[in-house]
Amino acid sequence: MAKTLGLICRECGREYPLEPMHVCEFCFGPLEVKYDYDEIKRRISREKIESGPKSLWRYLELLPVEEPKVGLNAGFTPLKKADNLGRVLGLDQLYIKDDSVNHPTLSFKDRVVSVAISKAIEFGFDTVACASTGNLANSVASHAAQAGLDCFVFIPANLESQKIYGSLVFAPTVVAVDGTYDDVNRLCSEIGSELQWAFVNINIRPFYAEGSKTLAFEVVEQLGWKAPDAVVAPAASGSLVTKIWKGLKEMVTVGLIEGMKTRVYGAQAEGCSPIAQAWKEGRDFIKPIRPNTIAKSIAIGNPADGIYALQVTKESNGDWETATDEEIIESIKLLAETEGIFTETAGGTTVAVLKKLAQRGVFKRDEVVVVYVTGNGYKTMEVLDNHLRETLHIKPSLADFKEKILTRV
Ligand SMILES: *Cc1c(COP(=O)(O)O)cnc(C)c1O
Ligand SMILES: [Zn+2]
């Protein structure tokens, strides 16, 4: 018996074979992987998972891949009890799921890409590609290098230089497009319809997106097989938020936990918050916007899974909040100074939103709250220009040290 049954349209329920495709030919709805949960329930157990690899592949039974081919060390990142930050926010059981140290490219994208490229290899593709806000390009380029595949990554031309180097070092073809991410994505859809390439977040998106579920699986396991009371996660396309919820529900379905009442909270940068805006205005559709924020990794103005992310917050009794660029920088510093974790702008956004939600009183003091830190601060250092303490310069002399340093502290 197979664990996967095929692809299914989220809108009309039409079914398709497991192939590299992502939209329903009938209604243009997005396709999702359909599993045989009875079969998975028979195969899976806490003990088997616990004795599995120390990577996201310990959850292979709930992923649409037969055998991992690349990214063998992705996932299973630390869940850190955040006592210092918790004290500041009045939360006794705050945890950070720290994907800023994910392997190999220091963001949550290593999860989705290790799954997508393993699947692309199973499908027999020899070229992989993506439309990216930065982290995805880094991860696709790295995994393509591991697998010896040809690689093309498409990015908006105004990305942080650290993110561009973080792709170039793996020697893919980096194509910088004059336009926003949404322009890049539209272009890639056109290219993808003419070429036989695996665009990880376009034609093989149903497989790619499943990788995000492991952020739910791991947190539950790391909490001792208990679902948290609340999670706070960033949203760009809205896929991550949607899949965290799907992952939590699947754990109940296959009997790994008895139940869960987790509330899912979404975080967006104020300068690119089409999902949060729809939520605040009570709409169930997204009005695309033109992004204007330092949080480039989550700057998607026309989010493909936005409406499903809205449904998640509704179904789970969650909420949405936004953070200004100034609040994002403050929160990058707050997280660093309290927990010793250096995150990028997306993590700054999420921590800023966590802080706002805590100040609004949406969490009880003793609730288990998990905040997802999805990217690494070494990739967006330029946003901190003029926001940090100065380096103090001295000559290599004790007298100079005493005069210039000790007199100041
Ligand atoms: C891509 C990305 C996200 C969000 O991804 P979606 O699934 O598109 O919502 C969050 N954080 C970081 C750092 C990212 O690179
Ligand atoms: Zn359909």
Side-chain angles (χ1 to χ4, degrees):
M1 290 275 279
K3 62 186 175 181
T4 44
L5 298 171
L7 294 171
I8 182 166
C9 173
R10 272 202 76 135
E11 294 298 327
C12 74
R14 260 198 177 57
E15 295 188 19
Y16 296 86
L18 272 191
E19 276 170 13
M21 61 186 292
H22 71 299
V23 280
C24 176
E25 285 163 0
F26 184 75
C27 78
F28 301 109
L31 301 181
E32 256 199 322
V33 177
K34 184 179 180 188
Y35 294 92
D36 181 345
Y37 290 118
D38 291 330
E39 170 66 15
I40 294 170
K41 194 171 181 173
R42 273 192 291 276
R43 293 187 191 184
I44 210 166
S45 72
R46 291 180 183 181
E47 293 69 32
K48 270 196 202 159
I49 292 164
E50 284 164 355
S51 65
K54 292 198 173 6
S55 70
L56 59 80
W57 297 110
R58 65 210 272 114
Y59 287 99
L60 180 62
E61 297 292 8
L62 286 159
L63 295 171
V65 169
E66 292 314 314
E67 200 189 301
K69 308 284 193 308
V70 277
L72 300 189
N73 299 300
F76 216 60
T77 53
L79 182 72
K80 182 182 196 273
K81 180 100 194 292
D83 287 329
N84 296 337
L85 181 59
R87 213 169 295 121
V88 174
L89 303 180
L91 297 171
D92 291 342
Q93 299 202 71
L94 176 64
Y95 292 85
I96 295 166
K97 181 59 171 166
D98 188 6
D99 263 16
S100 76
V101 293
N102 207 355
H103 190 273
T105 63
L106 307 176
S107 87
F108 116 87
K109 292 297 196 305
D110 291 327
R111 297 176 182 276
V112 282
V113 171
S114 53
V115 172
I117 295 194
S118 289
K119 196 70 203 174
I121 294 168
E122 280 179 16
F123 281 137
F125 285 102
D126 58 16
T127 304
V128 291
C130 68
S132 173
T133 57
N135 284 317
L136 183 59
N138 295 171
S139 190
V140 168
S142 165
H143 286 84
Q146 290 178 48
L149 298 166
D150 286 335
C151 180
F152 292 76
V153 302
F154 297 77
I155 54 172
N158 73 349
L159 272 198
E160 300 94 346
S161 61
Q162 292 96 351
K163 288 225 173 102
I164 297 176
Y165 284 118
S167 289
L168 285 171
V169 72
F170 303 110
T173 302
V174 176
V175 185
V177 179
D178 290 324
T180 64
Y181 169 81
D182 300 285
D183 297 323
V184 176
N185 192 50
R186 192 166 0 90
L187 171 65
C188 286
S189 295
E190 288 173 30
I191 297 170
S193 64
E194 298 206 354
L195 300 174
Q196 290 300 310
W197 292 357
F199 274 90
V200 302
N201 57 335
I202 303 178
N203 55 330
I204 59 168
R205 187 174 181 84
F207 307 93
Y208 157 94
E210 288 292 289
S212 294
K213 295 189 305 190
T214 58
L215 269 175
F217 301 154
E218 290 175 16
V219 160
V220 169
E221 182 184 352
Q222 288 168 315
L223 288 171
W225 299 104
K226 275 223 233 14
D229 296 303
V231 298
V232 185
S237 71
S239 175
L240 167 60
V241 164
T242 309
K243 293 294 177 170
I244 286 173
W245 184 238
K246 186 181 182 201
L248 289 169
K249 290 203 291 193
E250 282 183 347
M251 293 189 95
V252 179
T253 306
V254 302
L256 288 171
I257 51 174
E258 270 175 21
M260 61 95 188
K261 282 199 195 135
T262 307
R263 309 190 303 281
V264 179
Y265 295 88
Q268 293 208 289
E270 198 162 292
C272 184
S273 50
I275 309 176
Q277 279 172 24
W279 176 260
K280 290 218 167 102
E281 292 165 18
R283 281 186 270 118
D284 59 3
F285 61 95
I286 305 289
K287 280 190 201 157
I289 56 102
R290 199 179 170 82
N292 179 19
T293 170
I294 57 167
K296 293 177 183 169
S297 55
I298 49 171
I300 297 187
N302 188 12
D305 294 300
I307 56 170
Y308 304 113
L310 285 172
Q311 288 170 13
V312 165
T313 34
K314 202 177 217 174
E315 216 180 305
S316 72
N317 280 314
D319 202 344
W320 289 83
E321 261 298 351
T322 59
T324 64
D325 285 356
E326 208 171 296
E327 290 166 337
I328 292 168
I329 290 169
E330 263 170 40
S331 293
I332 290 174
K333 292 169 66 179
L334 175 66
L335 182 68
E337 289 167 29
T338 54
E339 296 298 334
I341 293 172
F342 184 17
T343 187
E344 63 146 271
T345 47
T349 304
T350 316
V351 171
V353 162
L354 167 78
K355 187 174 163 190
K356 279 191 183 172
L357 293 168
Q359 284 167 347
R360 274 175 38 196
V362 308
F363 311 117
K364 293 199 200 82
R365 187 171 192 108
D366 61 350
E367 281 188 323
V368 175
V369 179
V370 174
V371 59
Y372 285 102
V373 167
T374 49
N376 193 298
Y378 289 100
K379 296 194 194 187
T380 61
M381 288 200 287
E382 59 195 48
V383 302
L384 296 175
D385 282 348
N386 305 316
H387 291 278
L388 303 177
R389 298 172 72 170
E390 280 171 52
T391 310
L392 303 178
H393 285 266
I394 60 169
K395 295 197 179 68
S397 94
L398 183 60
D400 213 32
F401 168 72
K402 285 184 175 166
E403 187 194 317
K404 299 228 179 81
I405 310 293
L406 286 189
T407 52
R408 290 183 58 145
V409 291

